[in-house]
Amino acid sequence: MENNKTPSTNSQLQEATLGAGCFWCVEAIFEEVKGIKSVVAGYAGGQKKDPTYREVSSGTTGHAEVTRIVYDPSVVSFEQLLDVFWHTHNPTTKNRQGADVGPQYRSVIFYHNEEQKEIAEQSMEKTDQSGLWDDPIVTEIEPLTNYSEAENYHQNYYANNPNAGYCTVVIAPKLKKFRKEFSHMLKESAAKQSENR
């Protein structure tokens, strides 16, 4: 398991690493949550160190597309992040999110420590029993391994490319639904954007 240090600028900040399909979607959603300091697109869980997007996209490296979330636990808890996670992707489809198919798009929580593992297991069980999804949740819960940041052009993808086809057809509707369901967790800037639509 990797030794994942929290950023040195503020020892109070914590990290979460989540895979929920295409990292462009996941990044766009979590960027809008109050208490989140940064969201970085990356890869985790595979056999190769520092893979390229092309290698991960082949589905042969074992990596998942993930987002590394740095957050302030005094504002938003890991449990709350998982609540957003369960509601904003389909955790009942193995190696698939919509039209995106392959192990790189799997639903996965990569835990940074034992406490996160326990919280993730409890959260998954609670969500599975809640009736949120008709089918059983197949999300993997694994220790974080082989994490690396994705190439620069993947970072802030939705913010930088709002009119790209994937962004208008897939991400924009997801964001709209998320803003409506989680209005109580939105950063002020995201809440204003939501009001203006």
Side-chain angles (χ1 to χ4, degrees):
M1 189 158 134
E2 280 183 10
N3 179 12
N4 296 293
K5 297 175 184 163
T6 53
S8 56
T9 52
N10 182 344
S11 61
Q12 300 307 306
L13 297 180
Q14 293 183 12
E15 294 176 328
T17 304
L18 306 173
C22 173
F23 48 28
W24 298 340
C25 291
V26 186
E27 179 192 56
I29 285 167
F30 281 99
E31 282 283 356
E32 299 199 346
V33 175
K34 247 188 298 201
I36 289 184
K37 302 301 178 191
S38 70
V39 184
V40 177
Y43 314 111
Q47 300 87 28
K48 189 172 195 272
K49 226 170 169 41
D50 299 321
T52 64
Y53 180 66
R54 184 183 291 264
E55 289 170 329
V56 172
S57 295
S58 74
T60 59
T61 67
H63 289 82
E65 288 192 12
V66 297
T67 50
R68 167 70 58 87
I69 299 162
V70 177
Y71 66 99
D72 181 345
S74 70
V75 179
V76 64
S77 67
F78 185 57
E79 292 96 326
Q80 288 174 304
L81 296 181
L82 292 180
D83 196 33
V84 171
F85 173 78
W86 299 124
H87 280 80
T88 54
H89 82 294
N90 184 345
T92 71
T93 53
K94 189 169 174 61
N95 296 334
R96 171 183 208 124
Q97 282 303 305
D100 295 327
V101 180
Q104 66 272 30
Y105 299 116
R106 68 188 180 272
S107 175
V108 59
I109 300 165
F110 287 106
Y111 58 86
H112 290 240
N113 53 49
E114 286 303 308
E115 184 187 12
Q116 280 192 354
K117 179 186 180 185
E118 283 175 32
I119 292 168
E121 287 170 346
Q122 290 166 8
S123 177
M124 184 163 107
E125 189 179 333
K126 183 178 157 192
T127 306
D128 221 359
Q129 293 171 357
S130 73
L132 176 66
W133 297 97
D134 291 336
D135 297 316
I137 291 174
V138 296
T139 302
E140 296 171 9
I141 299 173
E142 303 175 8
L144 181 64
T145 55
N146 268 346
Y147 170 80
S148 59
E149 284 187 17
E151 296 83 347
N152 281 341
Y153 70 93
H154 291 298
Q155 308 303 333
N156 300 306
Y157 191 84
Y158 179 74
N160 294 331
N161 305 277
N163 299 318
Y166 190 88
C167 294
T168 58
V169 173
V170 179
I171 302 177
K174 266 193 171 195
L175 266 179
K176 187 177 180 183
K177 183 177 181 237
F178 162 71
R179 288 170 181 161
K180 190 176 174 184
E181 279 185 53
F182 288 88
S183 57
H184 60 289
M185 286 179 65
L186 293 179
K187 289 178 180 170
E188 212 171 289
S189 56
K192 282 183 182 157
Q193 277 184 320
S194 184
E195 287 166 14
N196 296 334
R197 293 184 187 249

